[in-house]
Amino acid sequence: MKNNPVLKIVALVVAFFVFIYFFIFYFFEDHSTDQNTLSAQEKAEGWVLLFDGETTNGWHMFSKPNMKHAWKAINGELTTNTNDTSGTHGDIVTDGVYENFELTFDWKIAREGNSGVFINVQDDTSYIATWATGPEYQLLDNANMQAGYLDGGKKGAGALYGLAPLKTTVEPNPAGEWNNSRIKQVNGKINYWLNGTMTAEEQIGSERWKGLVANSKAAVFPDFSKSTKGHIGLQDWAKGVSFRNIKIRIIQ
């Protein structure tokens, strides 16, 4: 090859195409397997996955555990779409119950979408819905809501829905793009974050809390937020919503 210019050219061409192949493979391959996993550090810190990326195991329809629901695991996302008629639409809740915990999750929502994550849900047929007992972390396509819907921030993404405006103003990413949220509850004190910004901080059962509830639509539900232990719920409400990387750790 040393003295053959043709072979040198062939070798250079082959090397070029090998480089291009690996470049494309690295930058354009499906990285979905990177999602819904725990690092060694997260495992050491006590984090566990509430969604395995492949099934809806660990979740069931609120108050109807044996009913086939419309939530699916698709391409590493726990998702529901209003056009899906293969199952009954409705909120799903975790099989397990949680009290003192930290929960993180990624979410994206359809244009004009509206959904939420509930905590302390009492999974009982005597309650009409998840929101009859559990406070909500609002998920919303803020930019495309009708005028006045945000209600001074009480109904915007990241808000303690219907109770208090955002502690710090922050806008979610546009419809169809991923956001990251965090919920922490310790002895009834709850904190919410949206994309790293704290959006809510309240103490369940305090005088302030009682006033917030009394001046909200939740006032008609006598058992709303009466417990600081319960299931975590995902709302199937409007348009479509997807979740991934749903992780929780118990706080001792």
Side-chain angles (χ1 to χ4, degrees), residues 160 164-165 188-191 200-204 206 208-209 212:
L160 179 57
K189 181 180 179 180
I190 56 176
N191 295 89
E201 184 175 27
E202 300 291 345
Q203 177 65 53
I204 295 177
S206 67
R208 170 178 163 79
W209 180 267
L212 293 175

Side-chain angles (χ1 to χ4, degrees), residues 81-98:
N81 188 300
T82 50
N83 296 323
D84 184 357
T85 59
S86 62
T88 302
H89 280 275
D91 298 357
I92 55 173
V93 296
T94 54
D95 293 345
V97 297
Y98 304 92

Side-chain angles (χ1 to χ4, degrees), residues 34-39 42 47-51 101-106 181 183 232 244-249:
D34 297 338
Q35 308 298 330
N36 307 304
T37 61
L38 295 172
S39 67
E42 287 176 320
W47 291 93
V48 296
L49 291 173
L50 291 182
F51 171 54
F101 62 88
E102 185 173 9
L103 173 74
T104 67
F105 54 94
D106 297 335
S181 293
I183 299 173
I232 292 166
R244 69 181 184 188
N245 297 322
I246 311 174
K247 307 174 184 181
I248 195 168
R249 72 178 183 94

Side-chain angles (χ1 to χ4, degrees), residues 6-152:
V6 174
L7 290 177
K8 285 185 177 180
I9 293 172
V10 170
L12 287 172
V13 170
V14 170
F16 173 76
F17 280 106
V18 168
F19 171 79
I20 293 298
Y21 171 81
F22 282 106
F23 177 86
I24 293 173
F25 178 80
Y26 180 80
F27 285 102
F28 296 98
E29 68 172 324
D30 180 7
H31 291 282
S32 61
T33 54
D34 297 338
Q35 308 298 330
N36 307 304
T37 61
L38 295 172
S39 67
Q41 181 176 345
E42 287 176 320
K43 290 178 182 178
E45 292 172 349
W47 291 93
V48 296
L49 291 173
L50 291 182
F51 171 54
D52 62 16
E54 298 178 354
T55 71
T56 60
N57 293 347
W59 299 85
H60 63 268
M61 180 75 86
F62 168 74
S63 81
K64 299 178 180 66
N66 298 317
M67 179 176 285
K68 182 181 179 182
H69 54 71
W71 290 81
K72 303 283 193 308
I74 302 175
N75 297 326
E77 301 174 17
L78 181 57
T79 185
T80 186
N81 188 300
T82 50
N83 296 323
D84 184 357
T85 59
S86 62
T88 302
H89 280 275
D91 298 357
I92 55 173
V93 296
T94 54
D95 293 345
V97 297
Y98 304 92
E99 185 170 14
N100 296 325
F101 62 88
E102 185 173 9
L103 173 74
T104 67
F105 54 94
D106 297 335
W107 60 277
K108 64 179 179 180
I109 202 158
R111 182 181 173 85
E112 299 179 349
N114 186 336
S115 182
V117 175
F118 298 91
I119 61 173
N120 307 330
V121 174
Q122 304 306 297
D123 187 24
D124 191 300
T125 55
S126 62
Y127 299 113
I128 188 173
T130 50
W131 31 265
T133 57
E136 179 181 356
Y137 181 115
Q138 171 77 319
L139 308 179
L140 194 76
D141 174 24
N142 284 13
N144 294 298
M145 286 296 106
Q146 61 269 35
Y149 180 83
L150 299 183
D151 191 18

